[in-house]
Amino acid sequence: MSDWLEAAFVQHRPRAIAALTRVFRDVDAAEDAFAEACLKALTAWSESGAPRDPLAWLLTTARHSGLDSLRTSQRRAALLARYGEDVHTMPQDPPDPDEMRDDVLRLLFMCCHPELDRRDQIALALRIVAGLSVEEIARGFLVKPKTMEQRITRAKKKIATHPVAFETPSPQERGTRLGEVTLMIYLMFNEGWSTSVGPDQIKLTLCEEAIRLARLLVELFPAMGEQTALLALLLLQHARRAARVDRAGRLVPFDDQDRALWDRAAIAEALGLLQKAQRINHTGVYTIQAAIAAAHAIAQRPEDVDWALIEAQYAALYALQPSPVVRLNQIAAQARLHGPAFALKAMEPLAGDLQGYRWFHAMRGAFLQELGDHQGAIAALETVLTLGPTTPEITAIKEKIAASQKNLGPASG
C-alpha cells in the first residue's frame, strides 16, 4: 500500500468509524464497512487520486458496503429489531463537523465503558479507534495475540450488552464523557512511557497512539484547556524518549540525560499548546502537570531547573488531586530544596498507602544512599525488585544495590 493511502486511512478512520457506528449501531458492522471502503479506495484512488473530500467518499462507500452486508447477514435482523429502519439513514452530504465531533466522542466513550477495566478500555480504543492490529496491541501489553483477541472480543460483547446512548449528549453528559476519554488517553500514554512490567521501558506504539488520540481531541474541542494541556504534557514527556534509555537499553537518570537528544520541535509545539491552555484560563490537573514538564524542558542544564517553582506546582496539583503519589512527587521536589533527610521524614506518612508502589521504595533507597545509610538503602532497593520492575529498572536497581554493598565494606558485608 502507498504511504499516502495508508496515511489517509489512518487520518480518517476515527471519524469514519464513529459515524458508521452511529449509523449501524454496531462496532463490528462499522469496522467491516470501513475496511471494505478502504479496499475499494485502494483501486479507485490509486488510479485517479484521492477525491476532493476523502472522508465523505469513504463514508458513502462504507454505507453502501455495510448495507449490502447487512441485507445478507443474520446481524441485520437483530439490528432492525432494535433500531428499526434508522440503520439505513445516513446523510449523503459532507458530514456536519458538530455531529462528527459528537460521534467521535461517543465512540471513544464507548471504549471507556465503565463495565471494562482500564487496560481493556485502552486495548479497545487501540483496536477500534486507532485501527492497530491485535498483534500490535498484544506486543504493547506483553500478552499473546490469541489472549488479546479474546480480551477484545469479550470487551466488545460487554459494551454491546450495555450500549452507550446514540442520542446527542447533553452539555453535562458531554463533559463527563470528555473527562473519561481524556483520562483513558493519559493512562494509555503512561502505560507506554513507563510500562508496568517487561523487558522494555518504553512502548513507543502506545505513546504515539495516545498522542494521536490527544491531537484528535484538540481538533474536536479546540477551546477546551485541559485537552490542549494534555497534548502539551504528552509531547513534553515524549520529547525525551531518545535520551531516556542508552544504546545498551540501560535507563539514564533524569539529570544525566543528554538534553541535546531531546526533541526540540516537539517541546516548542508543546510550549505553545501550554500557553494556549493557560490563556483559556482553566487550571486543571493536566495543565499543572504540563507546566511541571515545561519547567524541566526549558532548563538548559539540570542545575538550571527551578525546583521552587516545581514544588509550588506540585502543591497546587495536590490541592486538586490529593493522592499519595502526587504528594510523593512533591516531596521529590522538596528534596532538591531541603535535602534527603527532610524528604525521608516527609515520606513517612505515605509508607502505608504506597507500600506496593515501587517508586516509593526506589526514592527512599536513593535518599538513604545519599545519607550514607547503605544497609537501609539495600533493604529499600531489594523491595523494589519484588514489585515487578521492568528489565531496565532491574538492571539499574541491582547496580545501586551493588554500590551500597561495596560501601558497606567487608566488615559489614
Side-chain angles (χ1 to χ4, degrees), residues 240-364:
R240 297 192 289 108
R241 63 193 179 279
R244 192 159 174 248
V245 180
D246 67 18
R247 291 182 180 179
R250 299 156 66 92
L251 278 175
V252 179
F254 194 93
D255 286 351
D256 295 337
Q257 289 180 12
D258 182 355
R259 295 179 179 231
L261 296 177
W262 290 5
D263 186 341
R264 290 295 161 183
I267 291 172
E269 181 188 0
L271 293 176
L273 288 165
L274 177 58
Q275 289 176 353
K276 177 183 175 182
Q278 292 169 331
R279 283 198 304 271
I280 294 173
N281 197 29
H282 176 79
T283 302
V285 295
Y286 302 115
T287 306
I288 296 173
Q289 288 183 71
I292 292 169
H296 288 290
I298 63 177
Q300 295 298 312
R301 303 170 301 167
E303 53 266 35
D304 296 333
V305 174
D306 188 342
W307 286 105
L309 173 63
I310 290 176
E311 193 279 329
Q313 288 167 333
Y314 273 120
L317 182 60
Y318 187 76
L320 291 177
Q321 194 179 69
S323 76
V325 172
V326 173
R327 175 64 182 138
L328 184 67
N329 282 298
Q330 183 186 8
I331 292 169
Q334 290 172 338
R336 301 285 188 146
L337 301 169
H338 309 300
F342 176 93
L344 282 170
K345 185 70 175 176
M347 289 173 69
E348 288 177 3
L350 303 179
D353 289 332
L354 297 180
Q355 191 60 38
Y357 187 61
R358 67 181 185 263
W359 297 113
F360 173 84
H361 299 284
M363 203 166 103
R364 188 168 176 275

Side-chain angles (χ1 to χ4, degrees), residues 21-87:
T21 299
R22 172 171 51 84
V23 171
F24 296 118
R25 311 294 177 107
D26 183 270
V27 172
D28 287 329
E31 287 187 296
D32 291 345
F34 180 71
E36 284 295 322
C38 290
L39 285 174
K40 292 177 180 178
L42 283 175
T43 301
W45 297 6
S46 296
E47 293 175 354
S48 56
R52 185 173 60 180
D53 190 338
L55 178 57
W57 190 100
L58 287 168
L59 285 174
T60 300
T61 305
R63 173 182 176 273
H64 291 312
S65 296
L67 291 177
D68 287 343
S69 296
L70 282 178
R71 290 188 185 102
T72 58
S73 74
Q74 294 179 346
R75 189 183 295 150
R76 176 180 184 274
L79 290 174
L80 290 179
R82 179 179 291 182
Y83 301 111
E85 293 299 323
D86 285 349
V87 296

